[in-house]
Amino acid sequence: MFGRLKERLTGGAKRLSGRTDLLEGIAAASVLGGAADGDLSDDEAMVALDRLKAHEALSAAFTATQIEQAFDKQAARAKQGLAGRIGLRREIEQVGSSASEEDREMLLVIAIDVVCADGDISEAERKALNTIGQAVNLPVARYLE
């Protein structure tokens, strides 16, 4: 069993390696979820970045610096008002239109982890998750039950 888990992780890391478009889409989803209440606070940003860097497949496929750079790029977008939020959604939609179901699911689950980090999902956060789910063509309710 451990061998299969290791093979899946290694395979996932190989599959993700060099896919900066996917990394940026995942970072955008994390930022969009974290900023759902109006802005991305420093605490929310730290939680989101920690979740990204702690993710097994992401941390095996990308360096901490690559993850931080992708996150910082998307976090800067969140501070650009409506235009920034549209940019975040477009980044997520690009993943939704080109990635495998497994990759789209990873994006959504990481966004859910970021939103649930404080133990509560506000109405604004639920709306953001639904937007993310629609962009990647996955039903959010299936993951929240």
Side-chain angles (χ1 to χ4, degrees):
M1 184 163 137
F2 178 72
R4 282 185 279 176
L5 178 62
K6 183 177 179 184
E7 181 181 316
R8 185 173 174 191
L9 174 59
T10 304
K14 286 179 185 175
R15 180 176 45 78
L16 297 176
S17 185
R19 299 263 326 271
T20 55
D21 60 328
L22 179 59
L23 176 60
E24 290 199 7
I26 292 170
S30 297
V31 168
L32 190 62
D37 61 356
D39 70 342
L40 185 68
S41 72
D42 289 344
D43 288 343
E44 289 169 324
M46 290 304 298
V47 167
L49 185 56
D50 286 346
R51 295 288 168 115
L52 292 173
K53 291 193 308 189
H55 190 276
E56 291 180 38
L58 288 179
S59 63
F62 301 100
T63 66
T65 302
Q66 289 173 308
I67 294 170
E68 288 171 10
Q69 287 173 342
F71 181 81
D72 290 345
K73 178 180 177 181
Q74 302 309 323
R77 278 186 166 169
K79 295 177 182 180
Q80 297 172 355
L82 179 60
R85 287 192 302 278
I86 289 171
L88 292 171
R89 281 200 306 262
R90 285 189 180 146
E91 198 73 49
I92 297 163
E93 288 167 354
Q94 286 177 356
V95 172
S97 66
S98 64
S100 68
E101 183 174 353
E102 186 176 357
D103 291 344
R104 291 181 289 125
E105 183 177 63
M106 179 175 45
L107 178 148
L108 180 59
V109 169
I110 291 172
I112 291 170
D113 279 345
V114 169
V115 166
C116 293
D118 65 359
D120 186 38
I121 301 176
S122 71
E123 189 58 36
E125 290 169 330
R126 187 172 298 278
K127 184 177 177 185
L129 288 176
N130 285 329
T131 298
I132 294 165
Q134 288 173 341
V136 295
N137 225 5
L138 291 171
V140 173
R142 180 170 84 186
Y143 300 94
L144 293 178
E145 294 175 348

